[in-house]
């Protein structure tokens, strides 16, 4: 089965020196003698090469789900992991020639699975004598040429990131990750690679890496006072001309930033989160962009540059190793200068190939170590707790998160703040999460709380809390009273995804899905009494939301009553370990519900 519409024979044929055209017999007879003596005009030299791209791998090495402790599967037949992608890459190099293929990543490499957590927290790569990070081992073996920094690279702190960087045999690029004091690049901004063309000048490919300015908010605890993150457009305008001045024939960007010009952190920063389209549109001199961050598949997308009118080619290969982007470039040597004459992009699916046996050999032991870790029992549960209905019902499994958050914040409050009412907000990260009756393992809890968030306590007034909950309620599509509610189409209005939707514990309220957005929160009470606008609450909330993630109102600027560097997931594990048994009777309270015109949607 071909791995690309362009096989090696066609690829090399396109890149060969164009031979003399054979003229038709009649034309030869009619040609002047002088022209016949000179022979046909010599055509310019041509060449072709490819850039392969991955993004948002999130430490998926093998096709394995650590939360379910089995091979990964989904309804669309996707596979995950760089081990399969590595096989596709080998096929591309075999088809096109090793020297004609570059390999680039667009960030979010070292966080996202139990494997990532294990080598950041359980057996950290920063420990003396610790093994290399599995992603460094895999990506070195795959011979990456460069990778952009993702926002999740900073989740475990700069020390872990720097250690990972030191283990990579390719640069981590971040032209807009600057030292806070000097405003000089804290990471390498770009790299220049050469494509060797026999008998002709090398093709110089400049690869510029840009990361996400939202890091300044989402990982404020790790980067504040150490690094700053200006906008992608601003820094691309600085570095793209520099790459052209260095003689780069092709300028390729790898951006940990989506395509639509949106931001999930409101107005807290002056820079756009998903700015790759704006970079293409506003910065002249770019040939193509590998896009990341938003976990979508965009095989090929073109943006016209405002200044030059030239088309910029973009591609985003989903996430987790679901896809591999392939950029194919054709060039012509014109008066000693290589010019791009054609460029195309597509995505390839690795689900039909086997995992690279060499990566399996290199990292099987690390994988088995993590499998053993996630299957460690930490306690028991008195009944099955499922998250299947957590997006439209107040279910006990979510109250488990709320209880842990409130217990932890309460224990760390000052005497004055301890007198304030305490509530919790949290999102249903996974509808497939389930804590079974009987033995509870680390993987059961990790499957419920899949992010490495830490915990804050922030102060909101009653009026601000109502605004916060109204913002959350835009998650639901409006369903008029008397109309049947279909849970399959009820949620995720306004591109508001499950991880963005917060429910609250400690207060009681109704969400009227028949009402218009902004006026859905009804009967908001605390201890049976209506919440007053000036009443002050301490709100237990994760660091992502506390620092502006998903654009919730008021919370980022709110006063801090508590903060911790402990992951919420580990706090949940500790809760079960200390109690020995997880019993919903200890924490389950139904305090919110959906209504239509005051009538409960679910009995």
């Amino acid at each position: 089965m071909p791995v690309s519409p362009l096989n090696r024979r066609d690829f090399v044929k396109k890149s060969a020196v164009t031979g003399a055209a054979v003229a038709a017999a009649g034309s030869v007879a009619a040609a002047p003698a002088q022209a016949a003596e000179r022979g046909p005009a010599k055509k310019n030299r041509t060449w072709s090469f490819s850039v392969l791209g991955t993004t948002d791998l999130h430490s998926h090495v093998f096709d394995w789900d650590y939360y379910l402790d089995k091979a990964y599967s989904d309804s669309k037949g996707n596979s995950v992991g760089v081990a399969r992608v590595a096989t596709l890459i080998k096929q591309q190099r075999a088809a096109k020639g090793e020297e004609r293929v570059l390999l680039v990543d667009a960030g979010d490499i070292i966080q996202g699975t139990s494997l990532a957590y294990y080598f950041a927290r359980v057996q950290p790569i920063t420990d003396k004598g610790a093994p290399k990070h599995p992603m460094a081992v895999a990506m070195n073996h795959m011979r990456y040429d460069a990778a952009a920094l993702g926002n999740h690279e900073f989740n475990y702190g700069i020390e872990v990131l720097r250690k990972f960087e030191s283990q990579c045999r390719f640069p981590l690029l971040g032209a807009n990750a600057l030292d806070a004091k000097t405003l000089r690049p804290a990471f390498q901004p770009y790299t220049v690679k050469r494509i060797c063309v026999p008998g002709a000048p090398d093709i110089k490919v400049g690869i510029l890496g840009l990361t996400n300015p939202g890091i300044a908010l989402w990982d404020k605890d790790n980067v504040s006072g150490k690094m700053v993150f200006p906008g992608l457009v601003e820094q691309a305008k600085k570095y793209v001309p520099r790459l052209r001045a260095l003689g780069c024939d092709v300028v390729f960007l790898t951006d940990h930033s989506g395509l639509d010009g949106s931001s999930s952190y409101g107005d807290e920063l002056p820079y756009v989160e998903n700015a790759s389209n704006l970079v293409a549109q506003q910065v002249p001199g770019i040939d193509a962009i590998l896009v990341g961050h938003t976990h979508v598949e965009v095989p090929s997308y073109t943006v016209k540059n405002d200044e030059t009118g030239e088309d910029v080619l973009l591609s985003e290969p989903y996430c987790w190793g679901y896809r591999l982007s392939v950029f194919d470039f054709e060039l012509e040597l014109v008066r000693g200068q290589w010019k791009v004459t054609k460029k195309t992009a597509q995505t390839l699916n690795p689900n039909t190939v086997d995992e690279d046996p060499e990566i399996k050999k290199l990292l099987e032991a690390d994988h088995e170590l993590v499998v053993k870790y996630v299957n460690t029992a930490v306690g028991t549960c008195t009944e099955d707790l499922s998250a299947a209905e957590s997006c439209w019902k107040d279910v006990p499994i979510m109250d488990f998160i709320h209880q842990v958050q409130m217990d932890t914040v309460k224990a760390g409050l000052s005497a004055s703040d301890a007198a304030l009412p305490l509530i919790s907000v949290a999102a249903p990260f996974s509808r497939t999460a389930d804590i079974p009756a009987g033995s509870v393992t680390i993987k059961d809890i990790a499957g419920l709380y899949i992010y490495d968030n830490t915990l804050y306590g922030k102060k909101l007034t009653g009026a601000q809390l109502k605004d916060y909950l109204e913002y959350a309620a835009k998650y639901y599509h409006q369903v008029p009273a008397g109309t049947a509610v279909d849970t399959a189409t009820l949620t995720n209005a306004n591109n508001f995804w499950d991880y963005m939707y917060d429910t609250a514990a400690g207060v009681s309220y109704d969400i009227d899905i028949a009402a218009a957005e902004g006026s859905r929160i009804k009967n908001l009470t605390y201890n049976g009494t209506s919440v007053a606008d000036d009443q002050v609450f301490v709100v237990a909330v994760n660091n992502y939301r506390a620092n502006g993630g998903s654009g919730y109102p008021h919370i980022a600027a709110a006063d801090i009553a508590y903060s911790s560097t402990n992951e919420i997931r580990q706090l949940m594990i500790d809760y079960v370990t200390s109690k020995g048994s997880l019993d919903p009777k200890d924490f389950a309270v139904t305090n919110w519900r959906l209504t239509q015109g005051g009538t409960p949607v679910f009995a």
Side-chain angles (χ1 to χ4, degrees):
M1 186 177 68
V3 299
S4 167
L6 191 62
N7 63 31
R8 180 175 173 82
R9 183 178 297 168
D10 292 338
F11 200 84
V12 173
K13 189 184 295 182
K14 281 175 179 275
S15 301
V17 178
T18 306
V22 179
S27 299
V28 171
Q34 188 177 6
E37 289 172 6
R38 284 200 310 262
K42 186 178 180 180
K43 291 189 177 181
N44 290 327
R45 186 75 180 271
T46 61
W47 204 255
S48 303
F49 76 94
S50 298
V51 180
L52 311 182
T54 56
T55 190
D56 296 275
L57 295 172
H58 287 285
S59 284
H60 286 83
V61 173
F62 295 119
D63 195 13
W64 191 261
D65 188 331
Y66 290 100
Y67 304 134
L68 298 180
D69 194 28
K70 64 180 184 179
Y72 179 85
S73 66
D74 64 19
S75 61
K76 298 179 181 178
N78 289 310
S79 63
V80 299
V82 291
R84 284 188 189 271
V85 176
T87 302
L88 276 188
I89 291 166
K90 283 184 175 180
Q91 291 177 349
Q92 287 285 304
R93 285 173 172 151
K96 297 172 178 178
E98 295 278 337
E99 72 286 354
R100 295 172 181 256
V101 175
L102 299 176
L103 178 58
V104 178
D105 185 79
D108 276 5
I109 301 168
I110 63 170
Q111 178 277 340
T113 62
S114 296
L115 183 83
Y117 182 81
Y118 188 89
F119 287 98
R121 291 287 187 261
V122 181
Q123 189 179 359
I125 58 173
T126 50
D127 283 356
K128 187 176 181 179
K132 285 185 177 180
H133 196 288
M135 289 302 292
V137 174
M139 295 174 79
N140 287 341
H141 170 75
M142 294 163 71
R143 290 183 283 127
Y144 273 79
D145 292 286
L149 294 165
N151 54 285
H152 284 289
E153 259 65 85
F154 294 85
N155 287 173
Y156 297 121
I158 293 173
E159 183 185 7
V160 170
L161 173 55
R162 288 298 191 191
K163 187 64 176 181
F164 174 72
E165 180 188 29
S166 74
Q167 295 174 348
C168 294
R169 295 200 295 263
F170 54 90
L172 299 183
L173 304 179
N176 60 329
L178 310 181
D179 182 275
K181 294 189 173 97
T182 66
L183 298 184
R184 294 173 64 85
F187 292 84
Q188 187 172 324
Y190 60 83
T191 187
V192 178
K193 308 297 292 187
R194 291 177 178 267
I195 305 293
C196 182
V197 183
D202 292 349
I203 299 169
K204 294 175 71 175
V205 183
I207 304 172
L208 177 66
L210 295 164
T211 192
N212 206 288
I215 295 165
L217 287 177
W218 306 323
D219 267 302
K220 182 170 66 176
D221 295 341
N222 290 327
V223 301
S224 182
K226 300 174 184 176
M227 292 185 193
V228 294
F229 302 87
L232 284 85
V233 171
E234 290 80 358
Q235 291 302 98
K237 284 182 176 179
K238 177 178 178 180
Y239 282 103
V240 170
R242 186 174 299 184
L243 288 170
R244 289 297 182 184
L246 289 171
C248 290
D249 305 293
V250 177
V251 172
F252 186 94
L253 270 59
T254 175
D255 292 1
H256 193 75
S257 179
L259 272 169
D260 62 4
S262 67
S263 286
S264 68
Y265 45 71
D267 300 323
E268 293 297 320
L269 280 179
Y271 308 114
V272 177
E273 176 182 351
N274 296 308
S276 289
N277 60 323
L278 302 179
V279 172
Q281 182 182 355
Q282 298 176 22
V283 184
I286 300 167
D287 292 293
I289 302 177
L290 174 66
V291 177
H293 184 57
T294 47
H295 292 209
V296 295
E297 182 182 7
V298 183
S300 182
Y301 187 81
T302 302
V303 174
K304 192 174 292 295
N305 184 265
D306 286 344
E307 184 174 324
T308 65
E310 296 291 328
D311 285 340
V312 181
L313 182 64
L314 304 94
S315 179
E316 181 173 4
Y318 216 159
C319 61
W320 299 4
Y322 281 152
R323 301 290 184 272
L324 174 70
S325 281
V326 179
F327 294 83
D328 288 319
F329 296 91
E330 296 181 19
L331 298 91
E332 183 179 8
L333 188 62
V334 181
R335 293 186 294 276
Q337 182 77 41
W338 288 106
K339 303 291 184 184
V340 175
T341 57
K342 185 179 180 182
K343 52 193 176 186
T344 59
Q346 62 174 317
T347 52
L348 303 181
N349 193 333
N351 67 350
T352 60
V353 301
D354 293 330
E355 293 184 332
D356 182 346
E358 294 172 71
I359 289 182
K360 290 187 73 172
K361 183 178 179 180
L362 287 168
L363 294 174
E364 192 71 36
D366 288 349
H367 167 71
E368 292 299 332
L369 196 64
V370 176
V371 168
K372 182 179 179 181
Y373 165 73
V374 300
N375 279 284
T376 302
V378 293
T380 60
C381 190
T382 60
E383 62 185 81
D384 182 81
L385 302 179
S386 171
E389 297 181 311
S390 58
C391 294
W392 51 85
K393 286 184 181 179
D394 186 354
V395 293
I397 199 168
M398 288 301 299
D399 288 328
F400 170 38
I401 300 173
H402 288 303
Q403 188 66 48
V404 170
Q405 291 191 166
M406 287 192 289
D407 284 354
T408 305
V409 171
K410 182 178 180 180
L413 291 176
S414 67
S416 58
D417 288 338
L420 298 173
L422 174 64
I423 66 171
S424 168
V425 292
F429 293 144
S430 171
R431 301 188 190 194
T432 60
D434 185 272
I435 297 177
S439 179
V440 176
T441 63
I442 287 173
K443 76 177 184 326
D444 298 325
I445 297 173
L448 172 62
Y449 208 100
I450 61 177
Y451 297 108
D452 298 319
N453 294 329
T454 57
L455 187 61
Y456 270 82
K458 287 212 161 188
K459 297 179 184 179
L460 294 181
T461 66
Q464 291 173 330
L465 175 61
K466 188 170 187 296
D467 288 345
Y468 190 102
L469 295 175
E470 286 286 6
Y471 185 84
K474 71 178 186 176
Y475 170 74
Y476 296 108
H477 289 278
Q478 188 173 13
V479 185
T483 305
V485 176
D486 182 0
T487 56
T489 57
L490 174 63
T491 63
N492 305 119
N494 303 294
N495 291 324
F496 211 61
W497 310 116
D498 293 359
Y499 78 91
M500 303 169 74
Y501 171 58
D502 277 357
T503 63
V507 287
S508 296
Y509 60 101
D510 295 338
I511 304 172
D512 190 346
I513 58 174
E517 289 178 20
S519 58
R520 291 178 170 175
I521 301 301
K522 312 292 184 184
N523 307 317
L524 179 59
T525 62
Y526 176 76
N527 281 348
T529 303
S530 294
V531 170
D533 285 351
D534 60 353
Q535 190 173 3
V536 178
F537 292 84
V538 173
V539 182
V541 58
N542 71 51
N543 67 300
Y544 176 78
R545 197 75 82 234
N547 290 327
S550 302
Y552 273 78
H554 311 301
I555 195 74
D559 290 340
I560 299 172
Y562 171 88
S563 66
S564 169
T565 58
N566 294 321
E567 286 93 357
I568 294 169
R569 178 177 54 237
Q570 188 60 47
L571 294 170
M572 294 163 63
I573 293 169
D574 293 344
Y575 177 95
V576 178
T577 303
S578 65
K579 287 187 172 293
S581 177
L582 190 62
D583 188 343
K585 292 177 182 177
D586 295 336
F587 50 78
V589 178
T590 302
N591 61 283
W592 67 270
R593 63 181 182 174
L594 299 186
T595 64
Q596 286 175 293
T599 301
V601 174
F602 304 106

